[in-house]
Amino acid sequence: MMKLLLKIAKREIALLFSTKTTFVFAIVLPFVSMFFFNTLLSNGVARNLPITVVDLDHSSISRNIISQLNATPELEVTHLPVNQLESEELIRLGKIYGIVTIPKNFGLEIKKGMQVTILNQYNSNVLLPSGLEHKAFSKVIGTISAGIAIEKQIKKGVSVKNAKINFQPILTNNHVLSNPYTNYSYYLNSGFLTMFFQLFVILTTIYSFGSDLKYSKGAKLVKITNGNIISIILGKLLPYTLWFLLVGVVLFISMFVLQDFPMRGNKLTLFVGLLLLILANQSFALLFVSISRSFREALTVGSGFTAVSLSFSGITFPIFGMPIPMQWLSELFPFTHFFELFLDQTQRGIPLFYSYKSVVMLVVLTLFPVTIGWLKLDKLFRKGVYLHRI
């Protein structure tokens, strides 16, 4: 059996370098996607979002607020228009993301101990930049307000420590569950890079098996292996499994070395998860090959399955917020469990014990699809060709 397996594997390696489509899916596109996403989100967090400040007060306090806004990494004061209309025109043209308006007599009223209002307008049509702009603005104004309140108390004879306690008697301890570092490179690239990685695994596997069936070569493989379907499957999968495992290691190097992603968990578990992700997607690819009536249909089903898996992984919307049937459905996607394992072992730093469910589910999803599609796959290879040759 080993000789037959190696014979099929050598044939597959030769086809990998002689077939353009397989070469592109397996060798070219994985590295193109790595370069694209690592370059696209290399900064991780948005910086220097352009805003305008309409200063109607022109006092030392208002100038201090402008300098504080400009000193914030997320913001950059690019315009100082004389009135509100000019600022609104800039936001309509898409040149800025927010408008901060400091009213007349602002500094004078603060010195009198009066409560004053600073107006912040932002463009909610662009959710991410506007949300970051509003968050940065609130942080700056909150810091300035705290400084003014504490200074007033100190002038009344209150100690610095007590003044801080009086200003904020209750402290909050916030933990971000899905993106704990609030870094979009860490979070989104973790999802996008591995999602495209699994897409290439599935499409390469489908193309490897489907092209033989499209061009009536299934019976020839059965003859080469003396009817041993296991040798055919393992021989065809082995080169791609080893290759994609190497690609996955390069992917991890691009994340953890070049992009400096956090690694707070167990490296071996992450490597095992990567191997199981490859095997599970190959298993689903075999299922799609077995249930499809044509090569084109298998490719369509495989690519659709991969694309939908992103939505069910929790990266765009938390799984616990989905309807119960959708939560059950999300369990069928290997990417859901790998992404959970990845976040647990890299960014969340969760003990290995709590990641056992993800590993077990990946094992189940490796065995289940190929098991239910085995009889149809065996019958299909012995027949040697798809029902429709498209």
Side-chain angles (χ1 to χ4, degrees):
M1 179 178 171
M2 183 58 67
K3 288 184 179 180
L4 296 174
L5 188 153
L6 292 175
K7 189 174 183 179
I8 297 294
K10 288 178 182 177
R11 174 184 178 271
E12 204 61 37
I13 292 171
L15 287 173
L16 170 62
F17 290 98
S18 62
T19 308
K20 285 184 180 180
T21 306
T22 310
F23 184 83
V24 169
F25 278 152
I27 296 178
V28 177
L29 289 180
F31 294 103
V32 170
S33 67
M34 276 187 231
F35 176 78
F36 175 76
F37 285 109
N38 281 320
T39 304
L40 179 68
L41 296 170
S42 58
N43 290 332
V45 181
R47 291 282 188 260
N48 300 322
L49 297 171
I51 64 169
T52 69
V53 178
V54 182
D55 186 3
L56 303 177
D57 186 49
H58 300 291
S59 64
S60 59
I61 295 177
S62 67
R63 286 191 292 272
N64 177 52
I65 289 174
I66 294 172
S67 65
Q68 295 267 20
L69 289 170
N70 224 358
T72 305
E74 295 87 352
L75 303 178
E76 181 181 3
V77 180
T78 57
H79 300 81
L80 291 170
V82 295
N83 57 54
Q84 192 77 7
L85 291 176
E86 287 185 29
S87 296
E88 290 176 1
E89 181 63 23
L90 289 169
I91 209 167
R92 275 194 292 268
L93 293 172
K95 294 183 177 181
I96 58 170
Y97 292 110
I99 306 169
V100 176
T101 305
I102 303 174
K104 282 184 179 182
N105 303 319
F106 175 80
L108 183 62
E109 290 177 359
I110 281 184
K111 289 177 181 178
K112 290 181 178 179
M114 299 171 62
Q115 188 177 47
V116 292
T117 301
I118 291 182
L119 179 65
N120 178 40
Q121 298 167 276
Y122 51 91
N123 184 5
S124 60
N125 288 329
V126 280
L127 291 176
L128 181 58
S130 63
L132 292 172
E133 186 274 343
H134 179 65
K135 181 180 178 181
F137 166 80
S138 300
K139 183 178 178 181
V140 170
I141 299 304
T143 302
I144 293 173
S145 298
I148 293 171
I150 291 170
E151 187 179 348
K152 286 181 181 178
Q153 292 187 60
I154 292 172
K155 287 180 179 180
K156 294 178 180 179
V158 180
S159 67
V160 175
K161 182 180 178 181
N162 288 335
K164 290 180 179 179
I165 293 173
N166 292 338
F167 177 76
Q168 192 175 15
I170 300 174
L171 295 175
T172 59
N173 188 359
N174 299 315
H175 296 271
V176 182
L177 294 177
S178 296
N179 186 6
Y181 288 84
T182 59
N183 184 301
Y184 296 96
S185 177
Y186 293 169
Y187 185 67
L188 294 180
N189 268 351
S190 301
F192 290 150
L193 285 169
T194 49
M195 193 276 286
F196 274 88
F197 173 77
Q198 74 157 4
L199 173 65
F200 301 134
V201 172
I202 279 190
L203 292 183
T204 301
T205 307
I206 291 175
Y207 199 91
S208 170
F209 284 85
S211 59
D212 280 336
L213 294 169
K214 178 181 179 180
Y215 298 110
S216 305
K217 295 179 181 177
K220 180 182 177 181
L221 291 172
V222 172
K223 187 177 179 179
I224 292 172
T225 59
N226 300 320
N228 192 328
I229 302 298
I230 295 177
S231 294
I232 295 175
I233 292 174
L234 294 181
K236 288 178 76 65
L237 288 181
L238 180 62
Y240 298 113
T241 303
L242 295 176
W243 168 248
F244 279 114
L245 197 59
L246 176 62
V247 173
V249 171
V250 174
L251 180 67
F252 283 167
I253 290 172
S254 76
M255 289 180 177
F256 301 113
V257 178
L258 301 181
Q259 295 290 325
D260 198 28
F261 279 30
M263 168 55 78
R264 301 174 59 196
N266 189 288
K267 295 177 183 177
L268 179 60
T269 303
L270 204 58
F271 182 78
V272 170
L274 174 68
L275 176 60
L276 289 173
L277 178 70
I278 295 169
L279 295 175
N281 279 290
Q282 289 176 330
S283 180
F284 271 102
L286 291 175
L287 174 63
F288 300 147
V289 167
S290 69
I291 64 176
S292 299
R293 293 170 296 177
S294 68
F295 181 36
R296 181 185 296 175
E297 184 179 311
L299 285 172
T300 303
V301 173
S303 57
F305 174 83
T306 309
V308 170
S309 68
L310 183 69
S311 301
F312 283 94
S313 66
I315 189 172
T316 55
F317 187 83
I319 294 175
F320 60 79
M322 298 178 184
I324 297 298
M326 296 298 103
Q327 293 184 33
W328 294 339
L329 189 60
S330 70
E331 300 291 327
L332 296 177
F333 295 93
F335 183 68
T336 299
H337 305 289
F338 176 79
F339 189 59
E340 186 71 18
L341 176 67
F342 185 92
L343 290 181
D344 284 352
Q345 295 303 313
T346 57
Q347 299 181 33
R348 296 171 182 159
I350 290 177
L352 182 58
F353 172 78
Y354 295 99
S355 294
Y356 78 94
K357 181 203 167 189
S358 299
V359 175
V360 170
M361 285 302 299
L362 283 170
V363 172
V364 170
L365 292 175
T366 299
L367 301 175
F368 179 69
V370 72
T371 302
I372 62 175
W374 181 263
L375 292 177
K376 292 201 71 173
L377 194 64
D378 181 87
K379 184 179 178 181
L380 190 59
F381 265 95
R382 294 188 189 282
K383 182 181 177 183
V385 65
Y386 271 124
L387 180 63
H388 301 298
R389 293 188 62 181
I390 57 173

